[in-house]
Amino acid sequence: MTTPYPHLLEPLDLGFTTLRNRTLMGSMHLGLEEEKGGFDKLAAFYAERAKGGVGLIVTGGISPNISGWVAPFAGRMTRSRHAKKHRVITDAVHEEGGKICMQILHSGRYGYHPLAVSASAVKSPITPFKPRALSSSSVRSTIKDYVKCASLAQKAGYDGVEVMGSEGYLINQFFCERTNHRDDEWGGSLENRARLAIEVVKGIREKAGDNFIIIYRLSMLDLVEGGAQWDEVVYLAKEIEKAGATLINTGIGWHEARVPTISTSVPRAAFTWITQRMKKEVSLPLITTNRINTPEIAESVLAEGHADMVSMARPFLADSHFVEKAKRNESKYINTCIACNQACLDHAFEQKRASCLVNPQACYETELTFSEAAEKKKLAVVGAGPAGLAFAMYAASRGHEIHLFDKATEIGGQFNYAKQVPGKEEFYETLRFFKNQLDRVGVTQHLGQEVTVETLKSQHFDEVVLATGINPRALTIEGHDHVKVMSYLDVLRDHKSVGKSVAVIGAGGIGFDVAEYLVEHESLATDKDKWLAHWGIDKTYAHAGALTEKAIEPTERKVYLLQRKTSKVGKGLGKTTGWIHRQSLKHHNVQMINGVAYQKIDDEGLHVIINDEPKCLAVDNVIVCAGQEPFKPLQAPLEETGITVHIIGGADVAAELDAKRAIRQGAELAASI
């Protein structure tokens, strides 16, 4: 029988040990590291991924000393008692046949605390604390801390460590002239700026011995002004190889870079070309990364010689059994990461436990479980949007008889509109997953049917789950029924013609989606080179940081994005992706205006008051994205008949469409019913 994905599933011989395949679960800070009982939860989380077949796991970043903390009391490995706590994690992974490395991360000037240190006293633009420049002796002490941290990780049972030398953290800060203004043996020349990285790897190899994995995370593209030149990156890679590293992992972009690197609008495998370029320079195995989220993409990257391994972090949040499903040639059942960042990175930056929008079990393996139901019930689910789909899938997996109703002829609800927005094509994958899972667990689907109370009563359901979603909130100003006025559903669902000049009322997530839909000529998600040029990423690497002028095709359409609130437009968007949406609209000269009072709509256009000044925006259309209201007309009549009714998703709370909340709510109800 032919092996599916032969390159992806091929073992990798490291000399002293062999990895069972070419997948690396990349480092993610999960927020469990600091929770009470968090180590047991981490053990369950990583063990589930090891059970699912991942070749090598890398933990979230663990600091080698207090000044390296990402935030106060964040995870660190400085004492034997810390190593003992980690033993539960390594034991759990090894019991499932997996291997795991601990990432050593010194945050440097990215530390969110007053003890932050760096190569020089240069403040980061994304943190409030100015770092203290390390003295020469403190640099040497820091190297010893790295070595001790690795030694303790070895005692804790880890198979190796990953030294974080990218993303703009401490080692990266020493290497780049952007942040290293020193004139001693740790600054100035390339050799001096590279010394910290090299000494750390040398020291760890000497202390840990030969049979210990050392991954070095090398920043191959800084994507910031004053970043490294390509020949400097190559020099460091070769020196790291000499110093004793086992593998080099690819790092893409500093956290402060104004270029998207992992969001859903980034094309799949958009950066593997840089790892391929590095393969010509060094002989040890290279790992490539960023937006590799299906076994098909991973296989093609490896088959084309771009790397020796692929790092996938969030895809293993989305589906812990990614590898096992690929091995069984069942990729259609993989719950694909859509790179939304909403429950993973956004949570991490908000000091909350990470999870996954499409997989609410992620990081809740010990709390959100779907054991077989003691009492099997016949349940109706009305509404096949994210909440209804999640409930139906999980409840059916527990043995309940599930009937799913929706007046639309396809599942998905609001996801069917979102997937049309340029850069959000990954939503197709979520709908593919749900469709196949519903068939697999035996959900009876009644699509294209307007369900009534009588229908539900006649089929004698034990309970009814209403996931009927929302209704867009209508305008109440004069002229709200003018021919110029459209709802976002007119645009995204019904594809009605829109004029050359448009005012979008409401700057929440839907308002931004509509604006992007109107100004993007085409999705750049499938054209990597055009996307790279659009964001000013130079594949020739002629300049520091691989940056160049952005190549943007201007739109002919004039768009105003308006909101009543006086706060920054887009403030409520995701913490790690909101800036990307704002920047994308700025590329197309969308005028984002806050503090708008709406007066009326007439033949002239939309009359508003901005900064106490009356204006008329002479637009062809006014598109209303001014919020939603819960839609649950069946609730009262069903309850009057005595049927138990549960309300989930937008039908429950519709303040802003929230798929993360909807899917989790559906899953939690399914676990308890």
Side-chain angles (χ1 to χ4, degrees):
M1 183 178 173
T2 305
T3 303
Y5 316 110
H7 295 85
L8 182 66
L9 299 175
E10 181 186 7
L12 179 61
D13 184 359
L14 298 178
F16 60 90
T17 190
T18 298
L19 305 180
R20 56 187 171 181
N21 55 59
R22 303 303 179 100
T23 62
L24 177 113
M25 177 178 163
S27 173
M28 293 174 287
H29 190 80
L30 303 173
L32 291 169
E33 293 85 349
E34 294 81 32
E35 271 194 24
K36 185 177 181 181
F39 280 89
D40 289 329
K41 293 172 185 175
L42 278 170
F45 172 83
Y46 288 125
E48 189 62 27
R49 273 77 197 160
K51 184 178 180 181
V54 66
L56 180 61
I57 294 168
V58 177
T59 70
I62 302 294
S63 177
N65 54 35
I66 287 177
S67 66
W69 272 343
V70 174
F73 308 106
R76 74 184 199 275
M77 180 76 80
T78 57
R79 291 189 164 83
S80 293
R81 61 184 172 87
H82 297 146
K84 286 177 185 174
K85 284 185 178 180
H86 281 252
R87 177 61 75 167
V88 66
I89 295 172
T90 57
D91 285 349
V93 169
H94 292 149
E95 282 170 20
E96 296 294 350
K99 296 186 188 300
I100 185 167
C101 292
M102 188 188 84
Q103 186 187 76
I104 306 177
L105 182 151
H106 191 302
S107 59
R109 72 175 189 158
Y110 282 165
Y112 211 86
H113 55 80
L115 303 176
V117 297
S118 187
S120 301
V122 181
K123 184 182 171 299
S124 154
I126 60 173
T127 47
F129 299 96
K130 185 176 181 179
R132 172 177 56 85
L134 284 167
S135 66
S136 181
S137 62
S138 293
V139 176
R140 296 197 177 278
S141 294
T142 299
I143 293 169
K144 289 178 183 176
D145 291 340
Y146 270 95
V147 174
K148 182 181 179 183
C149 184
S151 178
L152 288 169
Q154 193 173 29
K155 288 176 183 173
Y158 284 103
D159 299 286
V161 293
E162 177 175 77
V163 176
M164 173 51 104
S166 70
E167 263 73 7
Y169 289 111
L170 182 75
I171 292 176
N172 217 171
Q173 292 162 25
F174 266 82
F175 187 61
C176 286
E177 292 177 316
R178 175 184 178 86
T179 43
N180 187 337
H181 302 165
R182 305 171 72 101
D183 57 8
D184 63 1
E185 70 268 39
W186 306 102
S189 70
L190 170 60
E191 293 76 14
N192 285 353
R193 287 182 281 114
R195 183 168 285 132
L196 174 61
I198 297 163
E199 293 298 324
V200 164
V201 174
K202 269 187 185 172
I204 292 173
R205 179 55 74 205
E206 288 171 9
K207 181 73 173 177
D210 294 334
N211 300 334
F212 190 66
I213 298 169
I214 301 176
I215 308 167
Y216 185 80
R217 181 88 162 264
L218 174 68
S219 185
M220 295 194 198
L221 291 170
D222 289 331
L223 303 179
V224 290
E225 299 292 335
Q229 304 273 2
W230 173 244
D231 60 345
E232 295 178 325
V233 178
V234 170
Y235 169 83
L236 181 55
K238 290 180 175 180
E239 291 300 315
I240 290 296
E241 182 172 19
K242 290 180 199 170
T246 317
L247 298 153
I248 288 181
N249 195 359
T250 302
I252 304 292
W254 288 35
H255 285 313
E256 65 207 65
R258 294 292 88 182
V259 176
T261 55
I262 58 172
S263 67
T264 191
S265 60
V266 177
R268 292 174 175 180
F271 298 102
T272 62
W273 54 273
I274 195 65
T275 316
Q276 181 186 29
R277 187 168 173 178
M278 183 59 76
K279 272 183 69 67
K280 299 168 187 170
E281 306 290 348
V282 294
S283 59
L284 80 177
L286 298 186
I287 306 163
T288 197
T289 187
N290 285 43
R291 291 289 286 122
I292 300 167
N293 65 343
T294 71
E296 291 79 12
I297 293 292
E299 176 68 16
S300 68
V301 165
L302 295 170
E304 291 165 17
H306 288 208
D308 302 286
M309 288 186 78
V310 290
S311 173
M312 296 179 283
R314 296 168 301 166
F316 287 110
L317 273 180
D319 198 320
S320 59
H321 284 235
F322 181 105
V323 176
E324 280 300 310
K325 291 176 183 179
K327 202 184 288 186
R328 295 194 300 266
N329 207 12
E330 294 182 345
S331 65
K332 69 178 184 178
Y333 295 122
I334 290 175
N335 196 359
T336 303
C337 168
I338 61 173
C340 66
N341 291 3
Q342 291 181 31
C344 50
L345 280 169
D346 284 355
H347 279 207
F349 280 99
E350 292 164 9
Q351 314 279 295
K352 290 158 62 175
R353 187 196 305 194
S355 187
C356 177
L357 182 146
V358 298
N359 176 22
Q361 267 192 300
C363 300
Y364 289 82
E365 284 76 13
T366 62
E367 296 149 274
L368 183 57
T369 59
F370 301 103
S371 57
E372 188 174 350
E375 179 191 353
K376 309 290 172 62
K377 296 179 179 179
K378 183 180 180 182
L379 303 170
V381 184
V382 184
L389 291 171
F391 174 84
M393 179 183 73
Y394 289 119
S397 73
R398 296 187 61 219
H400 294 299
E401 180 186 338
I402 305 296
H403 291 257
L404 178 63
F405 297 86
D406 201 293
K407 64 183 178 182
T409 56
E410 60 180 346
I411 65 168
Q414 300 278 331
F415 264 28
N416 286 313
Y417 318 138
K419 72 188 183 186
Q420 300 172 63
V421 176
K424 290 196 171 182
E425 292 82 3
E426 293 289 8
F427 283 78
Y428 281 98
E429 296 288 357
T430 305
L431 296 178
R432 180 264 312 152
F433 168 75
F434 274 126
K435 181 180 184 300
N436 290 323
Q437 285 296 117
L438 294 181
D439 293 340
R440 193 179 207 182
V441 296
V443 172
T444 303
Q445 299 174 49
H446 308 270
L447 301 178
Q449 295 184 28
E450 186 84 52
V451 72
T452 65
V453 173
E454 288 69 31
T455 305
L456 297 173
K457 280 177 62 180
S458 67
Q459 295 191 37
H460 306 292
F461 290 106
D462 295 309
E463 298 175 33
V464 174
V465 176
L466 294 182
T468 41
I470 55 88
N471 267 338
R473 186 176 292 127
L475 279 184
T476 56
I477 64 172
E478 181 184 341
H480 63 86
D481 54 354
H482 193 278
V483 68
K484 290 178 182 283
V485 178
M486 309 170 76
S487 80
Y488 68 87
L489 293 178
D490 291 326
V491 179
L492 297 178
R493 181 188 65 193
D494 303 332
H495 303 116
K496 291 184 178 177
S497 178
V498 179
K500 290 292 186 185
S501 180
V502 182
V504 179
I505 293 180
I510 296 172
F512 269 83
D513 278 354
V514 168
E516 289 193 55
Y517 179 81
L518 293 174
V519 298
E520 292 285 358
H521 294 286
E522 58 183 338
S523 175
L524 298 177
T526 57
D527 191 331
K528 284 185 260 193
D529 285 341
K530 191 175 277 190
W531 181 88
L532 291 167
H534 178 89
W535 283 98
I537 301 167
D538 178 17
K539 284 184 77 171
T540 70
Y541 222 130
H543 305 97
L547 293 178
T548 188
E549 289 292 317
K550 294 175 181 174
I552 298 166
E553 295 182 29
T555 181
E556 294 179 9
R557 183 174 273 135
K558 177 68 178 174
V559 176
Y560 301 90
L561 182 59
L562 312 171
Q563 70 175 32
R564 290 183 191 273
K565 296 177 185 175
T566 55
S567 56
K568 183 178 181 180
V569 174
K571 185 181 179 183
L573 299 177
K575 191 172 181 64
T576 61
T577 55
W579 70 269
I580 302 171
H581 297 301
R582 286 191 292 270
Q583 193 64 48
S584 294
L585 295 188
K586 285 179 183 176
H587 286 165
H588 294 288
N589 299 315
V590 173
Q591 288 196 35
M592 292 173 267
I593 306 172
N594 57 4
V596 179
Y598 307 109
Q599 301 300 295
K600 66 177 180 177
I601 300 163
D602 59 20
D603 291 345
E604 290 182 54
L606 173 63
H607 296 262
V608 296
I609 297 176
I610 303 170
N611 296 327
D612 298 323
E613 183 182 341
K615 288 186 177 180
C616 177
L617 304 179
V619 294
D620 301 314
N621 290 108
V622 176
I623 301 174
V624 183
C625 307
Q628 307 81 34
E629 295 169 342
F631 180 68
K632 44 187 174 181
L634 295 174
Q635 181 182 9
L638 280 172
E639 288 176 342
E640 286 172 10
T641 67
I643 295 177
T644 300
V645 177
H646 306 273
I647 313 289
I648 59 174
D652 177 40
V653 176
E656 177 66 55
L657 291 179
D658 187 347
K660 177 181 71 173
R661 179 183 176 279
I663 290 173
R664 174 164 292 281
Q665 195 177 25
E668 289 176 343
L669 178 60
S672 63
I673 204 163

